[in-house]
Amino acid sequence: MTRNRVFRQLVLALIVLLMFTAAALAALRPVALRCEYRVNPLGLDEPRPRLTWRVESPERGQRQMACQIQVATSEALLRKSRADLWDSGRVMSDKTVNVAYAGKPLTSREACYWRVQVWDKDGKPNWSEIAFWTMGLLASNDWRAEYISFRDTTPVHKDAQTLFLPAARQYRDEFSAARKVKRATVYATALGVYELYLNGERLGDAVFAPGWTDYHQRAYYWTYDVTPLVRKGRNAIGAWVADGWYSGYIGFGLVAHIGTERIGRYTYGKTPAIMAQLEIEYADGSRETVVTDGSWKASDAGPIQEADLLMGETYDARKEQPGWTKPGFDDSGWESAILARNNGSAAATFYEFQNGAKLGDRAEIKGHLIDLGFKRPPKLEAFPGMPVRPTQEIAPIAITSPTNGVHIFDLGQNFAGVVRLKVKGRAGTVVQMRYGEMLHPDGQLMTENLRKARATDHYILRGDSGDEVYVPRFTYHGFRYVELTGLPGKPRPDAITGIVLHSDTPLTSGFECSDPIANRLFQNVLWTQRANFVDLPTDCPQRDERLGWTGDAQVYVRTAAYNADVAAFYTKWLRELMESQRPSGTFPGYAPFPFQYRWDFGTAWCDAAVICPWEIWQAYDDTRIVERCWPRLVQFLEWRKTTSRNFLGINHGNDWGDWLNLNDPTSIEYIDTIYFAYDARLMADMARALGRGKDEADYRALFDNIKAAFKQKYVKSEGSLTKDSQTAYDLALFVDLIPTELRKAAGKILADKLRKAETSDNSGMTTGFLGTRPLLPVLSSVGENDLAVKHFQSRKYPSWGYEVEQGATTIWECWNSYTKDKGFGGAQHVQMDSSFAHYAFGAVCEWMMSTLAGIATDGPGYKRIIIRPSPPSPGSNPDREPINWVKAHYDSIHGRIVSNWRLKDGRFVLETTIPANSTATVYVPAKSAESVTESGAPLDKAKNVKFLRMEGDRVVLVVESGSYRFTAQP
Ligand code: BGC
């Protein structure tokens, strides 16, 4: 063969190969298999777990035409296509989200391996990789373990002046595994928080398991696969158990003099307990079970001498008991554990507020007798959420020493978590760590805003010759600065490393634009979300509060779902929220609801119960969550109907209202009417999703009635309102209570208000928690997008840019929680308590994603997508260059959606990506359809793009999946 021929043949082969791979790539690939929103989850108790996958293809217009799901009891069977649990067969369906298992009934402990085959638009099939889930303990008699405790002889602590911080307990047991192990599983729960060990290895990396529930009603158990850890012969299992939310200090109990004995601890019981069950399946088919019972040993003499979520941890390394989680450890000095119920009862008085008897009465603190003795939570369920985990480490950026012997480590970022301390020194040396979000002007740590949260950890050195390393287990703090005292020698930069903790909800968004302040703001929003998504959506991570405030949650939930995959996280919290329903039918100010503070609920807080499930359904096409909440929501709407007067809301007795508004209050009755209407509308949508036609019609009629009553009472003929605040306008417009023909006029009034209120040093915005979230979305929707963007880019007080310029690395509770000229004291309402990590004002992120970048869902789950970027007009902002490019993406449950736009030389360029199997309506700002090109070609030549209509100054197109580049003359 000549060299030429060889070369030609090689090229030919290469072309064939390329065509082959191109075809393979173009076909649809099923990837990212998840079950109940998690990757290979263990221990589910859903009888029909839901399966989700994503389909991918670089080719435009790719769709899943059909799919087949196979589920088998082993991987080997599945590989042979022997799906002994379920074979759906080929189903004509484009659904890839939340497909419910429909095979043989699943039993406790069952291992289920699954895969999915998809057929693309041309009928080409493709199998996924194999994924799995396992079932948990489905019947209550599957549990043979009992809750165990230590013998608790301490009296109920009643002194508010001193802290009662008991040691975390160690528990251990040894057992023999007789034969070769095929599978071993641990199921565990605690009243308190726990960490488990087997033969010296920690089980999992989650912290604060099993999570916060109302233990009077329910607890969660967790499942661990310990197959590789159990050995033939002697084995040991060990557990740390601390107070956690069950019996430790929580919320503002201590500062508000409420809860058990008015000290805010022992909320659910006096003595923590643990229940664990290890099930071993041997290779020969026989089984063995090791359970927590009276044969276990317990100790309080270990190193963790104090362990409290709010107060901190004290770790005396001299008391470590090496090898206690390994077999052969001498535990003869340990006491015997006891069955938790054998601690008997412990009488105490529980104090909390009670609502006044009638409207207008004040809520007052009342006490009633309770028994703090062990009570088994009536329900035990598999943990459905996302574990709290360490997700990132942060090195300090500076170390200062404001006074002798005090060292402050600046981690450069406010966050929630703990630190890793590395020290070397003499045995018995005490290193104290205090945490703060800010520094005083003299460089000292600012801790005033922590209120009664001591937020202090101690480490007492063992005295090793090398470095000693300590990471607290049962506490967390909200902080940027760590103050160290007692440090032997000079502080080394690696003495402190920040460890970021939060519910490990995968981050799903990206945002960047031409204004650097907005980019920092976006990061601040993400950090604040991470700092507050710690098992539940909390208001703040630092002070003695950290409660699941419902009002904050409802204004923020849409932003939350843009920024992270919060489906599992909300699945968990919505159970707590539903369970917190008040006897009247309303929902409280925070969930879980450990104790009542002042009035038990508030307008716009209670409505989280309707708004959050609606948002989760919309983001993840999750009708099951709606179905599960539904009966409670119906009761809630009944309560709303009975308390309303002629379809108008009332003041129920609580004055949060538009919380933290700036001297521009909105009457509660007015806000109540709006939320009543909003609830009715969302209920109608959800009724429809559930196929409840009659309910849908009823709730629509209810909405119409409220809207009519609202119009009559509050709307004047020219579009103005009888309530004059900015919030009054933006809420009414947001919830669609202004008649269509007056929308524009009402919007103009709102915009004029904002414009008029602006001065040389004030942005003019007066909205609080409720009014801020809809402000920019509403302005953009009524033709005032330039004003919305201008305001978004403002650096004047109050604004997002202002906060960033004051040095914020998170979103603050108040715009002026700190100011460079006034320090800490200037904040509205809350002064020195003010939090530096409150996410409510971060809800602006919703507008950044849905409006400015223009990524939104059209119906549930981003199956149909709206791409509608909203660039401001060039030159529309006298103070600075209006944003002229945005790059954003959102990893929806159907895949990544991209919207990148740029205004340049009078042209508008939009690059967008729509995930396979989805379609989008794309709104391109353009004078005419003729001015638009896609990848250089005129619209009528563009593939997979269809011109729909002109709508104002936009060309409206329908596009199929794939990547596109539109240019236009706006
Ligand atoms: C919390 C809030 C909450 C508010 C209710 C505050 O203490 O931190 O975020 O919504 O109380 O008024």
Side-chain angles (χ1 to χ4, degrees):
M1 266 199 299
T2 65
R3 277 179 59 188
N4 233 338
R5 255 182 79 194
V6 174
F7 184 71
R8 270 211 308 269
Q9 283 191 350
L10 257 175
V11 168
L12 209 74
L14 208 69
I15 290 174
V16 172
L17 192 79
L18 275 178
M19 277 165 58
F20 193 75
T21 13
L25 277 178
L28 209 55
R29 286 191 316 131
V31 295
L33 273 61
R34 292 184 304 154
C35 175
E36 290 298 327
Y37 299 120
R38 286 163 294 163
V39 179
N40 300 336
L42 299 180
L44 302 184
D45 61 0
E46 286 293 345
R48 298 180 61 209
R50 293 163 307 168
L51 307 174
T52 297
W53 60 94
R54 244 179 23 230
V55 284
E56 278 182 353
S57 165
E59 191 191 347
R60 281 190 187 174
Q62 259 300 10
R63 277 176 297 118
Q64 171 184 303
M65 213 174 63
C67 66
Q68 174 181 19
I69 298 169
Q70 288 187 334
V71 187
T73 50
S74 81
E75 211 177 322
L77 283 177
L78 195 55
R79 290 215 186 277
K80 285 184 234 146
S81 238
R82 291 201 1 233
D84 55 342
L85 285 173
W86 184 37
D87 191 334
S88 71
R90 186 175 193 260
V91 183
M92 295 302 290
S93 166
D94 63 353
K95 204 168 152 64
T96 59
V97 167
N98 285 326
V99 179
Y101 170 84
K104 280 196 196 137
L106 297 170
T107 55
S108 292
R109 311 171 180 91
E110 190 124 37
C112 308
Y113 294 84
W114 72 287
R115 60 178 185 170
V116 59
Q117 172 167 230
V118 303
W119 283 266
D120 74 358
K121 66 174 183 354
D122 307 313
K124 265 194 254 123
N126 221 338
W127 275 111
S128 72
E129 303 279 310
I130 291 176
F132 67 87
W133 79 86
T134 68
M135 297 304 285
L137 301 180
L138 305 181
S140 54
N141 61 7
D142 284 329
W143 283 94
R144 294 189 25 229
E146 301 219 52
Y147 282 92
I148 59 168
S149 288
F150 57 95
R151 186 168 299 285
D152 184 359
T153 53
T154 55
V156 173
H157 184 79
K158 298 184 180 178
D159 179 13
Q161 305 311 317
T162 56
L163 293 177
F164 178 64
L165 298 170
R169 266 27 185 219
Q170 284 156 288
Y171 294 87
R172 73 182 304 276
D173 190 27
E174 291 196 14
F175 60 95
S176 289
R179 288 169 288 280
K180 195 168 168 273
V181 176
K182 184 174 144 219
R183 182 161 88 139
T185 312
V186 170
Y187 304 94
T189 183
L191 301 174
V193 283
Y194 72 83
E195 257 186 23
L196 276 175
Y197 293 80
L198 216 146
N199 294 333
E201 298 284 331
R202 169 143 185 235
L203 305 193
D205 59 351
V207 293
F208 313 141
W212 190 0
T213 52
D214 176 352
Y215 302 96
H216 297 317
Q217 305 196 53
R218 197 161 41 84
Y220 292 124
Y221 69 89
W222 291 49
T223 303
Y224 307 84
D225 178 10
V226 294
T227 312
L229 297 182
V230 177
R231 300 192 278 259
K232 198 173 152 193
R234 280 314 269 170
N235 291 268
I237 182 164
W240 275 113
V241 184
D243 287 346
W245 293 282
Y246 176 76
S247 53
Y249 288 94
I250 54 171
F252 35 48
L254 184 59
V255 72
H257 314 293
I258 53 176
T260 302
E261 302 297 345
R262 297 178 180 269
I263 58 164
R265 72 186 320 284
Y266 308 117
T267 303
Y268 300 97
K270 179 159 177 276
T271 318
I274 180 155
M275 179 165 84
Q277 177 158 319
L278 163 64
E279 299 192 357
I280 306 171
E281 287 170 52
Y282 291 113
D284 65 5
S286 60
R287 287 166 173 276
E288 194 155 351
T289 307
V290 178
V291 299
T292 44
D293 58 20
S295 71
W296 284 49
K297 290 293 195 73
S299 167
D300 65 351
I304 307 183
Q305 285 300 305
E306 295 180 343
D308 189 88
L309 287 168
L310 295 179
M311 305 306 170
E313 198 172 280
T314 293
Y315 190 95
D316 187 343
R318 296 168 305 178
K319 293 178 183 257
E320 280 174 353
Q321 312 196 40
W324 69 279
T325 62
K326 291 185 182 160
F329 173 79
D330 176 12
D331 62 13
S332 54
W334 288 34
E335 55 183 302
S336 291
I338 62 167
L339 299 186
R341 64 173 126 74
N342 290 344
N343 262 323
S345 43
T349 309
F350 195 84
Y351 295 88
E352 61 181 334
F353 282 83
Q354 265 174 38
N355 293 358
K358 40 181 207 325
L359 281 183
D361 287 357
R362 281 164 51 101
E364 276 174 13
I365 297 189
K366 298 215 167 100
H368 63 271
L369 287 178
I370 52 161
D371 177 9
L372 291 175
F374 167 78
K375 274 172 238 69
R376 195 186 171 98
K379 278 187 270 170
L380 188 55
E381 293 170 359
F383 180 75
M386 275 314 212
V388 179
R389 285 199 183 103
T391 60
Q392 191 177 333
E393 300 202 345
I394 308 181
I397 57 165
I399 307 171
T400 51
S401 182
T403 42
N404 236 350
V406 175
H407 305 289
I408 295 197
F409 287 68
D410 177 2
L411 293 162
Q413 174 61 54
N414 198 22
F415 67 100
V418 288
V419 295
R420 181 186 309 114
L421 171 73
K422 216 186 244 182
V423 274
K424 198 158 103 183
R426 277 220 305 277
T429 310
V430 182
V431 178
Q432 173 179 284
M433 287 162 276
R434 296 201 307 147
Y435 302 85
E437 299 184 286
M438 299 291 280
L439 296 183
H440 281 294
D442 62 0
Q444 302 275 7
L445 195 69
M446 201 291 257
T447 56
E448 284 82 344
N449 69 336
L450 305 183
R451 291 194 309 225
K452 295 277 185 189
R454 189 190 67 176
T456 305
D457 301 326
H458 297 102
Y459 179 76
I460 304 164
L461 274 71
R462 251 184 333 255
D464 287 0
S465 56
D467 285 341
E468 298 181 31
V469 175
Y470 165 61
V471 180
R473 287 179 171 81
F474 297 121
T475 191
Y476 78 97
H477 316 289
F479 65 104
R480 166 176 170 171
Y481 301 94
V482 192
E483 179 209 81
L484 256 65
T485 37
L487 199 65
K490 276 210 181 109
R492 4 188 288 222
D494 68 345
I496 287 292
T497 306
I499 299 182
V500 180
L501 295 177
H502 54 88
S503 294
D504 194 7
T505 55
L507 297 178
T508 48
S509 63
F511 179 94
E512 248 189 297
C513 72
S514 57
D515 186 341
I517 288 272
N519 298 339
R520 178 65 232 191
L521 171 76
F522 178 70
Q523 295 306 322
N524 291 3
V525 173
L526 291 186
W527 276 108
T528 314
Q529 176 162 336
R530 294 167 78 190
N532 280 298
F533 276 41
V534 179
D535 193 61
L536 64 155
T538 63
D539 58 330
C540 55
Q542 72 299 94
R543 68 180 176 222
D544 53 352
E545 195 146 351
R546 313 184 192 183
L547 295 171
W549 278 97
T550 46
D552 309 41
Q554 67 88 356
V555 300
Y556 190 77
V557 56
R558 194 176 300 177
T559 292
Y562 270 118
N563 288 337
D565 175 356
V566 294
F569 176 83
Y570 264 91
T571 303
K572 176 198 175 273
W573 185 65
L574 282 172
R575 291 197 196 170
E576 272 75 74
L577 178 57
M578 290 304 122
E579 230 166 47
S580 70
Q581 188 162 34
R582 309 296 297 146
S584 61
T586 190
F587 287 90
Y590 38 88
F593 193 59
F595 29 57
Q596 177 173 337
Y597 178 66
R598 304 238 174 105
W599 211 259
D600 65 338
F601 70 95
T603 291
W605 271 253
C606 57
D607 306 285
V610 176
I611 297 166
C612 294
W614 187 91
E615 293 284 354
I616 295 302
W617 162 54
Q618 284 289 303
Y620 306 105
D621 192 7
D622 189 336
T623 43
R624 183 179 284 171
I625 221 159
V626 174
E627 209 172 272
R628 298 260 163 99
C629 297
W630 188 256
R632 302 266 191 175
L633 303 189
V634 170
Q635 277 175 42
F636 173 63
L637 265 285
E638 284 309 307
W639 168 83
R640 268 220 159 283
K641 282 190 257 179
T642 9
T643 54
S644 65
R645 308 224 167 108
N646 300 319
F647 301 107
L648 292 168
I650 62 166
N651 181 341
H652 298 269
N654 169 313
D655 59 2
W656 296 330
D658 187 23
W659 184 243
L660 299 188
N661 72 79
L662 298 162
N663 291 323
D664 189 16
T666 309
S667 78
I668 310 256
E669 311 73 87
Y670 178 91
I671 300 175
D672 201 56
T673 308
I674 295 208
Y675 274 90
F676 183 23
Y678 195 28
D679 293 335
R681 203 180 88 195
L682 303 186
M683 287 295 281
D685 294 350
M686 291 190 282
R688 189 195 177 110
L690 298 184
R692 294 173 167 274
K694 161 97 175 49
D695 290 338
E696 185 196 353
D698 289 351
Y699 287 123
R700 288 259 183 257
L702 179 60
F703 175 78
D704 291 341
N705 285 328
I706 304 168
K707 187 168 175 172
F710 178 87
K711 178 176 172 212
Q712 205 181 14
K713 174 137 191 213
Y714 297 114
V715 188
K716 293 195 259 180
S717 55
E718 72 309 340
S720 66
L721 298 169
T722 59
K723 299 289 166 191
D724 212 28
S725 63
Q726 292 177 10
T727 291
Y729 278 85
D730 72 10
L731 275 181
L733 284 159
F734 188 74
V735 173
D736 192 23
L737 289 182
I738 309 276
T740 319
E741 64 284 6
L742 297 179
R743 254 189 92 79
K744 203 123 197 179
K748 171 93 177 20
I749 298 172
L750 170 65
D752 286 342
K753 270 179 178 306
L754 202 62
R755 277 190 274 263
K756 255 195 244 129
E758 186 179 356
T759 64
S760 60
D761 61 357
N762 191 294
S763 75
M765 178 168 72
T766 58
T767 50
F769 271 24
L770 304 182
T772 300
R773 180 245 180 156
L775 184 64
L776 301 191
V778 158
L779 286 175
S780 293
S781 81
V782 295
E784 296 283 357
N785 187 55
D786 287 345
L787 180 65
V789 181
K790 171 170 180 274
H791 190 70
F792 175 65
Q793 292 186 263
S794 177
R795 276 46 162 175
K796 294 179 193 170
Y797 172 80
S799 70
W800 296 275
Y802 175 80
E803 228 179 70
V804 172
E805 288 205 331
Q806 301 303 311
T809 62
T810 33
I811 303 295
W812 297 346
E813 183 171 16
C814 304
W815 301 107
N816 52 356
S817 287
Y818 168 84
T819 61
K820 285 181 178 159
D821 53 339
K822 292 208 193 76
F824 298 106
Q828 71 273 21
H829 293 273
V830 283
Q831 278 104 23
M832 290 308 282
D833 293 1
S834 198
S835 143
F836 290 88
H838 247 64
Y839 56 54
F841 290 144
V844 68
C845 204
E846 166 188 334
W847 172 85
M848 293 159 69
M849 295 301 290
S850 70
T851 309
L852 188 57
I855 299 174
T857 188
D858 184 5
Y862 294 85
K863 180 86 173 81
R864 284 181 296 138
I865 295 160
I866 296 173
I867 300 289
R868 197 179 198 281
S870 306
S873 324
S876 57
N877 184 346
D879 299 333
R880 59 187 44 82
E881 164 108 68
I883 289 170
N884 55 30
W885 62 263
V886 168
K887 281 186 180 168
H889 71 259
Y890 170 55
D891 290 324
S892 77
I893 196 151
H894 280 99
R896 176 161 293 194
I897 305 166
V898 178
S899 172
N900 295 342
W901 61 259
R902 176 179 292 276
L903 268 171
K904 207 168 173 229
D905 308 327
R907 306 273 312 162
F908 179 80
V909 182
L910 169 67
E911 287 165 356
T912 183
T913 301
I914 307 303
N917 205 34
S918 295
T919 56
T921 312
V922 180
Y923 295 75
V924 185
K927 278 202 181 65
S928 65
E930 289 70 46
S931 84
V932 182
T933 64
E934 193 285 303
S935 298
L939 268 190
D940 51 5
K941 298 262 154 26
K943 284 215 181 83
N944 306 85
V945 178
K946 213 169 81 199
F947 171 76
L948 264 193
R949 58 176 185 274
M950 278 305 289
E951 202 179 286
D953 49 8
R954 289 164 194 264
V955 169
V956 187
L957 310 167
V958 180
V959 311
E960 293 178 71
S961 70
S963 293
Y964 301 84
R965 186 169 195 275
F966 296 102
T967 61
Q969 190 84 55

